[in-house]
Amino acid sequence: MTVAAGLGYALLALGPSLSLFVSVISKKPFLILTVLSSTLLWLMSLIVLSGLWRAFLPLKSTTYWPYGILIITSVGFQEGLRILFWKVYKQGAVVVLMMWKVVMMWKVEMMRWKDDMVALITWRLEDILDAFADRVSKPRLFLTDKMQIALAGGLGHGVAHAVFFCLSLLTPAFGPATFYVDRCSKIPFFLVSAIIALGFVTIHTFSMVIAFNGYAEGKKIDQIFVPIVHLLAGMMTLINLASGGCIVGIPLLYFMATLTLLYCGRMVLRRITENQRRPVGT
Amino acid sequence: MDENRKPTSVLESLGEEIIRIIAPVSTCMFLVVLLVSILNNSSSSTLTTIATIVYDENTSDSIWTKFTGALLYSLAFVAVVTVVTFILVFLFYIRCTRFLKIYMGFSACVVLGFMGGEVALFLIRDFSFPIDCFTFLVILFNFTVVGVMSIFISNMPILIRQGYMVVIGILTAYWFTFLPEWTTWVLLVAMALYDIAAVLLPGGPLRLLVELAMSRDEDIPALVYEARPVTYQDSGPRRGVVERRLWREKRAVGGAMSENSNSESNSSQNPNFISDSHSTPGTFLSVGSGQNETRLVIAEEGRLLEEGVPELTAPLIERQVERDGAWRDGQEEAASSESWVEGIGLGSSGAIKLGLGDFIFYSVLVGRAAMYDFMTVYACYLAIIAGLGITLMLLAVYQKALPALPVSVLLGVLFYFLTRFLLEVFVVQCSVNLLMF
């Protein structure tokens, strides 16, 4: 409608992430890099998905099941990427390892890596960070640090979602008029997409924390919780396909978001209190 | 709570140098996108008349004509740039640095005065900003003169110098966005390929330039953006700069300087040792080199700072004190190994320099993407930042001047076309049906 309205929609979708960014992430450069790389990862997953689905688009708007398959494949792919993100962070990317070893064999001055060889051979980011911390005589990564890295990763995912599903379509909102969709004709399209984006940002941000903690502790329930919530949230947007469905779909989405938030908060609280009861040395 | 007394984590300062380069690049790109979207640059300008010397793109031309025309234009442009760079290398070789400096100042003056003036006029016209021409001229004149001064005078506060570098990059990039579309894309790819050739091939002009500069221990005469290095100690910034002759000087007066254990953060002294920037935009990336000398200097200063650590007054100094531990360890390995963290590229002590040409071409890419849609802007921005990160990692690994254009530009072009043809349809289809995941 105007620049003010356009900015308003943008802030509606991204306001909490912006405040999270400014207060927590902007202070530590490594977290900014984590946000950027996880945003890039999400974008790449989205491009791959759109490449896969390009031949089938545009879908007919009457039937529901193609959309259902779309959602399921997309969510499945992205959850797979989340696990990959974790593995790169924690375990090993053998391909990268092989390439790295080849590069290293070429250059003699790579022998300076000999002290870090163990960490590098498995490209364990966490180990690299810990080895670096040992070098600079600093304590290893705290629990809160690891959670902050997970939070930054989740924030990257959330911001990517908001940017590509909401912000990039906001350009007409800066003009003189607005846009309504048939299925949800009570409020402007931009407002609806901003509200949905906000819900998804919350889900993405905090489910990454839950997921990383689940993988670290090896708790199955945490690991299962995240893909299920993601899938359910995606499926709930299918309700929006029905005429007037967004009145039901969006509150349900926010229910999932609140659930994620509470679960994450409870889990973090539990881990921090456990950590404090234990003597220092994570 | 506990957190206040906890020793600071390694996460506090890791990756800072990368952020210090990414921030100005992002600012430049953001402002160019803003300018492109605010101003309607469909009107002809001086640059298109230069472009039409070779080929005048018409929207009604066939794809093949457009493509060949764009290719011809890019080849002509790359040829001109090569010739000019060789002339620059030759002049540097015969030590005509004075002429180069004057040329630098002249080009900055033209960019800031004329191009900046025209952009300002566009803005004034579009927003009906009430200003009379005398005030405008006075402001423009002052702006230009301070900009030129920031290039010549080394005592300028580094923020002003960095700011003017970014402004010059923005203005030049904005004018490049006037080129027709096909020409822009082919030109970007051509420049990326030229950059690889110029920096990595043994006969490449930029490689010759870097080698000459390193062998003479002089600055490279080019407009470069220099990120303020992360200071480990108060004399850190001097160490971080690519001025090895100053490092040698410092070692000679090492005794006098190291006693100054309570020297506060003196950002005003930094620019003393920042290189004067000159001539044409160099499209390469280099880190403060001279590893062995750096090692020894660090060892001396590290030892002496252990004795008296000044009271922490500013975050800058706090970081320096924390890093003390780093340098204490570094001493033992002083003779043998290279920097342990520079291998990762996340803790490099050198100042990272990025040629202004890189700023310009990144911003041209993003600006041209902005002319299509904002989704392409976000995708290209992420691609360029990823490319820049990869280049910085490679820089830390290879420790020599690397071309900063190819990875970012090729990734950016790839992401632009992928987004435009694949992603947009997918996302619009999903969003319009309020279907998100």
Side-chain angles (χ1 to χ4, degrees):
Chain A
M1 277 185 290
T2 47
V3 176
L7 272 178
Y9 295 134
L11 281 177
L12 190 65
L14 280 179
S17 2
L18 188 67
S19 49
L20 203 60
F21 184 85
V22 168
S23 60
V24 175
I25 308 233
S26 65
K27 302 213 162 52
K28 305 191 177 181
F30 187 76
L31 293 179
I32 302 181
L33 293 173
T34 314
V35 170
L36 285 172
S37 44
S38 74
T39 312
L40 183 71
L41 195 69
W42 204 91
L43 169 66
M44 289 200 290
S45 77
L46 204 60
I47 289 184
V48 168
L49 282 170
S50 61
L52 288 173
W53 275 93
R54 182 69 178 92
F56 303 101
L57 296 172
L59 293 171
K60 296 186 293 296
S61 57
T62 45
T63 48
Y64 292 168
W65 59 265
Y67 293 114
I69 299 184
L70 187 106
I71 298 266
I72 293 179
T73 51
S74 313
V75 171
F77 188 72
Q78 287 188 336
E79 289 304 320
L81 272 185
R82 192 194 301 273
I83 299 184
L84 178 70
F85 198 39
W86 166 255
K87 280 199 189 307
V88 170
Y89 170 72
K90 191 70 186 169
Q91 295 185 349
V94 181
V95 176
V96 181
L97 144 73
M98 289 301 172
M99 285 185 344
W100 200 256
K101 273 170 85 171
V102 168
V103 167
M104 293 223 274
M105 275 177 230
W106 281 349
K107 309 230 105 197
V108 176
E109 59 257 31
M110 288 302 137
M111 289 327 282
R112 68 177 179 244
W113 288 108
K114 57 185 179 292
D115 298 69
D116 283 322
M117 199 64 105
V118 172
L120 274 154
I121 282 187
T122 48
W123 191 258
R124 297 174 181 231
L125 184 63
E126 192 171 294
D127 285 350
I128 292 179
L129 288 175
D130 282 338
F132 174 64
D134 288 340
R135 291 254 184 210
V136 295
S137 312
K138 281 225 179 92
R140 299 190 146 207
L141 284 183
F142 297 119
L143 179 67
T144 47
D145 286 338
K146 297 181 198 175
M147 288 206 244
Q148 278 179 344
I149 295 181
L151 183 71
L155 191 69
H157 273 66
V159 165
H161 174 103
V163 160
F164 285 100
F165 277 104
C166 172
L167 276 193
S168 51
L169 301 170
L170 268 186
T171 324
F174 288 96
T178 189
F179 189 67
Y180 286 85
V181 199
D182 283 338
R183 297 182 210 267
C184 205
S185 51
K186 310 283 185 195
I187 47 180
F189 163 69
F190 304 114
L191 188 58
V192 177
S193 76
I195 293 177
I196 297 181
L198 178 63
F200 269 104
V201 163
T202 320
I203 293 181
H204 281 306
T205 311
F206 295 106
S207 56
M208 186 68 91
V209 180
I210 300 175
F212 267 42
N213 266 303
Y215 295 135
E217 287 187 315
K219 288 198 169 173
K220 280 291 177 207
I221 183 162
D222 286 345
Q223 295 175 14
I224 299 289
F225 180 82
V226 168
I228 299 249
V229 163
H230 194 187
L231 195 63
L232 277 179
M235 293 306 223
M236 272 168 205
T237 55
L238 279 177
I239 302 178
N240 292 332
L241 280 176
S243 170
C246 55
I247 299 181
V248 175
I250 296 182
L252 278 178
L253 179 70
Y254 271 79
F255 170 71
M256 303 299 304
T258 328
L259 187 69
T260 316
L261 250 178
L262 289 174
Y263 191 83
C264 178
R266 213 184 55 180
M267 186 191 67
V268 167
L269 202 62
R270 173 180 57 82
R271 281 212 82 185
I272 291 191
T273 44
E274 270 176 16
N275 200 38
Q276 277 177 350
R277 266 189 263 122
R278 233 182 291 148
V280 180
T282 318
Chain B
M1 301 281 284
D2 260 342
E3 278 81 64
N4 290 337
R5 277 171 275 133
K6 218 169 16 179
T8 46
S9 147
V10 71
L11 224 55
E12 298 273 340
S13 45
L14 202 59
E16 178 132 16
E17 284 84 5
I18 299 186
I19 295 295
R20 283 198 180 164
I21 276 286
I22 289 184
V25 171
S26 312
T27 318
C28 186
M29 289 199 266
F30 171 69
L31 287 172
V32 170
V33 166
L34 204 62
L35 271 180
V36 163
S37 39
I38 290 180
L39 300 173
N40 278 338
N41 53 357
S42 52
S43 53
S44 64
S45 68
T46 48
L47 204 58
T48 47
T49 55
I50 298 175
T52 57
I53 289 176
V54 178
Y55 165 64
D56 190 3
E57 181 168 318
N58 231 342
T59 42
S60 57
D61 286 345
S62 74
I63 292 187
W64 184 246
T65 332
K66 282 193 209 174
F67 182 66
T68 44
L71 204 60
L72 278 175
Y73 179 81
S74 318
L75 286 176
F77 190 83
V78 168
V80 168
V81 168
T82 319
V83 167
V84 170
T85 318
F86 271 115
I87 293 178
L88 176 70
V89 173
F90 176 69
L91 285 176
F92 188 60
Y93 183 68
I94 60 177
R95 296 177 193 269
C96 252
T97 31
R98 199 178 169 77
F99 173 76
L100 289 172
K101 272 184 84 164
I102 293 177
Y103 177 69
M104 289 317 308
F106 170 72
S107 58
C109 175
V110 164
V111 169
L112 288 172
F114 291 100
M115 292 189 186
E118 282 216 48
V119 168
L121 281 175
F122 288 153
L123 284 171
I124 290 176
R125 183 193 63 197
D126 276 358
F127 289 108
S128 308
F129 192 65
I131 187 171
D132 62 295
C133 67
F134 294 111
T135 316
F136 176 72
L137 278 175
V138 167
I139 295 178
L140 186 66
F141 179 71
N142 281 321
F143 180 72
T144 313
V145 165
V146 175
V148 173
M149 271 167 47
S150 77
I151 293 178
F152 282 118
I153 299 181
S154 42
N155 260 335
M156 276 283 195
I158 193 168
L159 268 179
I160 293 188
R161 179 193 305 269
Q162 288 175 338
Y164 270 103
M165 287 292 130
V166 172
V167 166
I168 292 177
I170 292 172
L171 291 171
T172 320
Y174 177 68
W175 281 93
F176 265 101
T177 58
F178 278 113
L179 287 174
E181 183 165 3
W182 280 75
T183 314
T184 317
W185 292 111
V186 179
L187 178 69
L188 281 168
V189 175
M191 283 306 292
L193 296 173
Y194 162 76
D195 207 24
I196 300 181
V199 178
L200 294 179
L201 286 184
L206 289 177
R207 182 175 172 144
L208 292 175
L209 197 63
V210 170
E211 283 172 2
L212 266 179
M214 269 175 37
S215 65
R216 287 194 210 162
D217 260 356
E218 281 174 14
D219 313 314
I220 295 159
L223 277 174
V224 286
Y225 179 94
E226 183 156 350
R228 195 179 62 167
V230 177
T231 50
Y232 300 130
Q233 301 151 17
D234 306 297
S235 33
R238 290 175 228 152
R239 185 187 341 126
V241 174
V242 183
E243 301 232 40
R244 279 175 293 155
R245 59 199 152 122
L246 290 173
W247 282 327
R248 288 201 198 109
E249 277 173 29
K250 194 157 53 93
R251 256 190 293 156
V253 298
M257 245 183 264
S258 41
E259 266 129 47
N260 197 6
S261 63
N262 58 356
S263 45
E264 304 306 308
S265 144
N266 42 6
S267 56
S268 55
Q269 284 189 33
N270 293 355
N272 277 337
F273 306 94
I274 304 289
S275 52
D276 313 293
S277 347
H278 308 266
S279 204
T280 44
T283 49
F284 62 90
L285 189 61
S286 70
V287 82
S289 43
Q291 283 306 319
N292 295 326
E293 293 145 322
T294 319
R295 272 313 107 206
L296 296 170
V297 168
I298 292 169
E300 287 169 25
E301 297 185 2
R303 233 177 286 129
L304 288 154
L305 258 194
E306 276 174 56
E307 297 155 8
V309 172
E311 196 48 56
L312 306 183
T313 50
L316 203 61
I317 303 181
E318 184 178 3
R319 212 181 307 121
Q320 296 162 12
V321 171
E322 288 159 16
R323 296 271 184 169
D324 261 345
W327 297 119
R328 259 179 254 134
D329 277 36
Q331 281 176 54
E332 282 93 54
E333 312 164 280
S336 52
S337 62
E338 297 287 15
S339 162
W340 23 269
V341 290
E342 283 177 30
I344 309 179
L346 296 176
S348 156
S349 63
I352 297 183
K353 293 171 145 186
L354 189 61
L356 212 56
D358 300 321
F359 274 78
I360 292 172
F361 284 110
Y362 294 159
S363 310
V364 170
L365 204 160
V366 174
R368 178 50 71 173
M371 290 189 192
Y372 180 69
D373 189 33
F374 278 121
M375 200 183 298
T376 44
V377 169
Y378 302 130
C380 291
Y381 169 76
L382 286 171
I384 290 179
I385 296 291
L388 190 61
I390 294 175
T391 315
L392 287 172
M393 298 280 174
L394 287 177
L395 182 68
V397 165
Y398 284 99
Q399 290 289 330
K400 60 177 199 172
L402 284 181
L405 270 188
V407 183
S408 294
V409 164
L410 293 176
L411 269 182
V413 172
L414 177 72
F415 271 62
Y416 172 80
F417 285 110
L418 281 178
T419 308
R420 178 169 171 167
F421 293 115
L422 292 180
L423 186 64
E424 198 184 0
V425 178
F426 182 72
V427 169
V428 169
Q429 164 87 156
C430 284
S431 301
V432 170
N433 289 313
L434 297 179
L435 210 68
M436 302 192 193
F437 51 88

